[in-house]
Amino acid sequence: MLAADMMLHRSPGALTTKGDRDFASELDYDIEREIRSFLETATPDIGFLGEEEGAKKIGEDMRWVLDPIDGTANFVRGIPLCAVSLGLIHGNEAVLGVIQLPFLHSCYAATKGGGATANGRPIKVSRTNRLSEAIVAIGDYAVGTNSTAKNRTRLSLTAQLAETAQRVRMTGTAALDLAWLADGKIDAAITLSNQPWDMTAGVAIAREAGATVIDSDGSAHSISAATTWGMAPGLISEIGELISKCSEPLHHSEIASHAPDS
């Protein structure tokens, strides 16, 4: 993949501040422009939404969604946990996903109804059915506006998991978390937000591998969901109890400024 090759052979370049403790690298922008240009030529009837430069043809029923570097902070520091995440949305549903982990030499892919693969090998979620035997990945703590309030729920979740799960992990990239959920490397991936560029590809891959992916209200995850709870099916009951315990209201305001129109 072009983007993975760029990550392997180019430096991050200059950093642009996006907000409180949030930034994008020069390479984020370069990758997004390269991929957008390629897709506009290859699939001119499909819209596009990128994390860094927003939407093109946003009214289209089908939209590519790209995070050029998911885990930019990791990438800038030389931590190999970072990904290129490209998904396809049809209406409000993730129907295709490709996640490239350049420094781990892994490529995850799925299409709706076609199964999920890792480097071409079919994958399935784990059969873990006890939270005490589960490795659970949680998303980064919030930064920026209202981060203190948002992190109350995140800290509550962390405390609950520390008391119940076998291990808790925070990798710094939601795409990797969902890919590893699909591959059975971890048993649940929880992110208390739902930025479409972070989630679309991973949700498509995890579902095709047999994962259950829901919003905090128990409904099926969609692009307009407030949160992202992915898990092996055997953990549905115990994860549901966690959701109830961490029940501080989660509003769509976390994604409203970036989410595409339905």
Side-chain angles (χ1 to χ4, degrees), residues 86-137:
L86 178 66
L88 181 65
I89 297 170
H90 183 208
N92 207 29
E93 181 184 11
V95 296
L96 178 152
V98 179
I99 293 173
Q100 190 91 17
L101 307 174
F103 301 101
L104 302 182
H105 310 292
S106 299
C107 181
Y108 291 87
T111 57
K112 184 178 180 180
T117 62
N119 292 342
R121 166 182 57 86
I123 55 174
K124 291 292 183 183
V125 294
S126 78
R127 296 182 180 180
T128 302
N129 58 16
R130 294 181 181 178
L131 196 53
S132 62
E133 299 174 355
I135 296 179
V136 181

Side-chain angles (χ1 to χ4, degrees), residues 4-5 7-8 70-71 74-75 78-84 99-108 118-119 121 171-181 183 185-186:
D5 188 65
M7 287 177 66
L8 287 169
D70 187 39
N74 286 352
F75 175 65
I79 299 171
L81 304 182
C82 45
V84 182
I99 293 173
Q100 190 91 17
L101 307 174
F103 301 101
L104 302 182
H105 310 292
S106 299
C107 181
Y108 291 87
N119 292 342
R121 166 182 57 86
T171 68
T173 157
L176 179 147
D177 290 347
L178 288 164
W180 280 1
L181 169 64
D183 203 8
K185 296 180 183 297
I186 62 174

Side-chain angles (χ1 to χ4, degrees), residues 29 32-33 36-37 40 46-60 62-68 89 196-197 223 256-262:
Y29 288 99
E32 184 166 314
R33 289 164 185 160
R36 185 183 67 226
S37 177
E40 285 177 346
I46 299 178
F48 179 89
L49 173 67
E51 177 179 6
E52 308 306 341
E53 295 189 329
K56 301 289 183 181
K57 296 168 61 178
I58 196 61
E60 298 296 320
M62 297 187 71
R63 290 156 286 176
W64 293 109
V65 184
L66 174 71
D67 191 337
I89 297 170
W197 41 82
I223 202 63
S257 63
H258 298 292
D261 298 333
S262 297

Side-chain angles (χ1 to χ4, degrees), residues 206-261:
R207 278 183 171 156
E208 283 300 310
T212 298
V213 190
I214 59 174
D215 194 0
S216 54
D217 63 2
S219 62
H221 183 275
S222 70
I223 202 63
S224 58
T227 62
T228 307
W229 300 73
M231 68 208 78
L235 296 174
I236 292 173
S237 177
E238 288 187 273
I239 295 290
E241 292 177 10
L242 274 181
I243 294 174
S244 298
K245 290 177 180 178
C246 303
S247 59
E248 180 178 325
L250 294 162
H251 301 293
H252 289 251
S253 59
E254 290 196 31
I255 62 172
S257 63
H258 298 292
D261 298 333

